[in-house]
């Protein structure tokens, strides 16, 4: 993505010639390097955005499927602490029990925050059904299919704002790509097809050649952008959800079910402990 790449593509400084047979201008090699850097950055951005969508969707599914179990564990822990405090009469036990119960008390907007799983009185019926294995409405899955992925990558390559040379065109592309990203996040193949048709019917703007100074500035900007995207990608990969996805990239549902089995076992253990304390 630097001068060395331009040299490899051109066959060496001494071999470069213009179509008319003359020596290539230094700006030609620089422009070649800029074009290569632009395409590499676009591919990197597509990969980062695709992974961000996967992380976001998996996070949503994780919360929908496992949230009720985590909530049930918190409720059981609070009840166990209360039962211990009632038995011991110890002020410290009472303090711990009160703190645990306070964490479960409703707060403004709790139903929205907890996605309808529980309120101050405990778990909602749907959450209880999920814990007991009864049939419930399955959590929404938003996972873009192969065709949606193909359309997204194609649109991102064609309409990427980094390919614009004027502010007006960049703004147009940024607005369009925002809609492309939203459609991809929803996994909507139909919306992506409509956007592809819209772009194909849009204005064909001629690219204005860049001066040498502008090309150097362009390379510097691309380098900074790559560094920023590298940080974003690292944060995604090192996040809890990103780490889980990397453990089972081909079958994340199976990983969720494995975690759910472990949580069910913990719920069973807590329920047995609570029953013993209340006996």
């Amino acid at each position: 993505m630097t001068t060395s790449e331009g040299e490899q593509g051109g066959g060496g400084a001494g071999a470069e010639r213009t179509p008319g047979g003359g020596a290539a201008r230094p700006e030609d090699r620089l422009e070649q390097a800029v074009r290569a850097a632009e395409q590499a950055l676009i591919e990197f951005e597509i990969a980062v955005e695709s992974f961000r969508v996967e992380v976001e969707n998996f996070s949503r599914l994780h919360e929908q499927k496992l949230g009720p179990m985590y909530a049930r564990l918190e409720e059981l822990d609070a009840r166990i602490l209360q039962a211990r405090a009632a038995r011991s009469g110890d002020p410290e036990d009472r303090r711990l029990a009160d703190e645990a119960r306070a964490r479960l008390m409703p707060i403004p907007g709790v139903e929205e925050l907890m996605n309808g799983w529980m309120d101050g009185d405990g778990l909602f019926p749907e959450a209880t059904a999920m814990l007991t294995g009864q049939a419930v409405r399955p959590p929404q899955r938003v996972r873009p299919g192969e065709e949606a992925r193909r359309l997204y990558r194609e649109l991102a390559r064609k309409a990427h704002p980094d390919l614009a040379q004027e502010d007006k065109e960049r703004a147009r592309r940024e607005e369009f790509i925002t809609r492309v990203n939203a459609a991809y996040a929803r996994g909507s193949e139909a919306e992506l097809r409509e956007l592809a048709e819209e772009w194909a019917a849009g204005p064909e703007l001629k690219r204005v050649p860049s001066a040498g100074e502008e090309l150097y500035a362009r390379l510097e900007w691309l380098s900074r952008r790559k560094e920023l995207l590298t940080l974003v990608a690292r944060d995604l990969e090192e996040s809890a959800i990103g780490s889980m996805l990397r453990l089972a990239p081909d079958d994340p549902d199976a990983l969720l079910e494995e975690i759910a089995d472990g949580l069910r076992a913990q719920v069973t253990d807590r329920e047995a402990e609570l029953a013993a304390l209340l006996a």
Side-chain angles (χ1 to χ4, degrees), residues 239-260:
S239 67
I241 296 296
S243 298
M244 290 174 66
L245 267 178
R246 287 190 290 115
L247 287 174
D250 298 326
D251 193 4
D253 287 341
L255 177 60
L256 283 181
E257 191 55 41
E258 181 181 343
I259 297 173

Side-chain angles (χ1 to χ4, degrees), residues 46 48-61 64 140-145 147-153 155-156 176-193 195:
I46 289 173
V48 172
E49 176 63 16
S50 297
F51 188 57
R52 186 196 66 76
V53 168
E54 289 293 321
V55 168
E56 183 178 286
N57 291 333
F58 188 68
S59 177
R60 184 182 300 111
L61 185 61
Q64 289 174 326
Q140 180 184 7
R141 282 173 168 77
V142 184
R143 194 166 294 150
E147 181 62 12
R149 292 170 187 265
R150 185 191 69 78
L151 289 167
Y152 169 73
R153 292 176 66 85
L155 283 168
F176 183 80
I177 285 296
T178 296
R179 289 189 285 140
V180 170
N181 289 341
Y184 180 65
R186 289 189 289 270
S188 177
E189 182 180 324
E191 289 183 57
L192 289 169
R193 288 190 182 281
L195 288 166

Side-chain angles (χ1 to χ4, degrees), residues 205-237:
L205 297 182
K206 294 183 179 180
R207 181 182 178 282
V208 178
S210 301
E213 294 80 7
E214 292 175 320
L215 289 171
Y216 275 114
R218 183 70 170 161
L219 277 177
E220 291 177 357
W221 184 90
L222 290 167
S223 177
R224 291 194 300 270
R225 179 66 176 167
K226 181 182 177 183
E227 290 176 1
L228 176 61
L229 283 172
T230 299
L231 293 176
V232 171
R234 186 186 66 187
D235 289 343
L236 285 170
E237 291 176 351

